[in-house]
Amino acid sequence: MAKIIGIVLVVVLLLAGFSGCNSYNSLVSMQEDVEASWAQVENVYQRRADLIPNLVNTVKGAANFEQETLTAVIEARAKATSISAQISPETLNDPQALQRFQKVQGELSGALSRLMVTVERYPELKANQSFLALQSQLEGTENRIAVERRKFNEVARRYNARIRKFPTNLVASFGGFERKAYFEASEGADQVPTVEF
């Protein structure tokens, strides 16, 4: 009888060990998915940052273009590039770090929006093929940013849900798997803009 109990205990321990290994390996794969998705988010933000110098140089060619607007874009780009260097897969566990990243990227988006509105006063820019091509690429990049942020949130949500479910949560706590932060809507995004004619 003791021999049977011993065999059953060994079988149960082996099954638990295999299950734990499987859960751990699954979490490693999911964590890699989160990090790969983050890399893609960084990639599209970098694409936008790379387009900005060409856009600024094209706009500088316009006579009497507002220097203040260009300076704001250049400074916002520098700040966004600097904060991007501080975010890594390890800091994705820190919601404040991701919020700082998102805030600075939002400031760059705002500066670019102001630049595009200002351009409306310069017919020679609106007819410039280089400017139009850059504007189109920038618009496409903004769309890619939205898509990649959504994908990142989906991958992070699946990972976060997995590390909270029993019995995987036991493996996650022993393995040091931590919850990942999400991109959130910008402050005031829920407010409908006022349009006056």
Side-chain angles (χ1 to χ4, degrees):
M1 182 70 167
K3 193 175 190 180
I4 293 174
I5 292 174
I7 292 172
V8 168
L9 264 171
V10 167
V11 168
V12 167
L13 288 174
L14 283 173
L15 288 174
F18 286 130
S19 175
C21 287
N22 187 37
S23 290
Y24 183 85
N25 290 338
S26 173
L27 289 174
V28 167
S29 293
M30 293 180 87
Q31 188 175 43
E32 288 297 318
D33 289 344
V34 170
E35 291 175 11
S37 184
W38 175 251
Q40 191 55 29
V41 168
E42 286 183 313
N43 181 31
V44 292
Y45 275 117
Q46 185 61 51
R47 175 179 163 72
R48 177 175 71 173
D50 291 345
L51 288 171
I52 291 171
N54 293 333
L55 185 69
V56 168
N57 287 333
T58 302
V59 170
K60 273 184 185 178
N64 302 323
F65 195 84
E66 287 91 350
Q67 188 61 40
E68 183 180 319
T69 305
L70 288 176
T71 302
V73 170
I74 293 166
E75 288 173 356
R77 179 188 180 271
K79 195 173 177 184
T81 303
S82 148
I83 195 90
S84 292
Q86 298 171 16
I87 301 290
S88 67
E90 294 77 31
T91 59
L92 292 175
N93 302 337
D94 181 7
Q96 285 79 28
L98 192 58
Q99 285 173 351
R100 284 189 303 272
F101 175 84
Q102 189 173 341
K103 180 178 183 267
V104 170
Q105 294 295 342
E107 289 170 3
L108 178 54
S109 292
L112 285 170
S113 293
R114 286 186 296 281
L115 175 72
M116 293 305 172
V117 167
T118 305
V119 162
E120 292 298 317
R121 291 183 246 156
Y122 295 86
E124 70 274 14
L125 273 175
K126 292 184 348 184
N128 182 316
Q129 291 304 312
S130 295
F131 175 78
L132 293 174
L134 287 166
Q135 183 180 24
S136 176
Q137 288 181 36
L138 201 55
E139 288 169 357
T141 300
E142 292 295 333
N143 290 335
R144 287 183 187 138
I145 288 170
V147 167
E148 294 305 331
R149 284 173 46 149
R150 181 185 52 78
K151 285 181 183 176
F152 173 82
N153 279 351
E154 288 172 3
V155 171
R157 182 197 54 77
R158 284 194 301 271
Y159 169 82
N160 288 340
R162 177 75 182 207
I163 67 171
R164 293 179 62 211
K165 291 180 181 175
F166 183 80
T168 308
N169 63 342
L170 300 174
V171 175
S173 65
F174 288 122
F177 294 93
E178 296 181 28
R179 191 173 191 283
K180 302 297 182 189
Y182 298 111
F183 279 103
E184 298 176 2
S186 300
E187 192 174 308
D190 58 341
Q191 304 296 319
V192 177
T194 305
V195 178
E196 295 180 20
F197 295 99

